[in-house]
Amino acid sequence: MCLAVTGELVSTNDHPDPLWRMGDVNFSGVLRQVSLACVPKARIGDLLLVHVGLALSVVEPE
């Protein structure tokens, strides 16, 4: 079973190669650096679904 949690993207490194793009994600006050390779269109302020350091998708607000 896998567990993925949502967090807010607060900054990115804007690497020119999308496979190396990283970002800082806020999980209720805890900042972690995650890979943005699977979500090239993610922007600061987006909610991301993250599993083991990899952002899987952008969560759309309802």
Side-chain angles (χ1 to χ4, degrees), residues 12-42:
T12 64
N13 70 352
D14 290 327
H15 196 281
D17 184 349
L19 292 177
W20 291 99
R21 190 166 172 240
M22 301 290 287
D24 290 322
V25 177
N26 181 1
F27 300 98
S28 298
V30 177
L31 286 178
R32 293 285 183 239
Q33 192 172 55
V34 301
S35 170
L36 302 174
C38 293
V39 288
K41 295 184 180 187

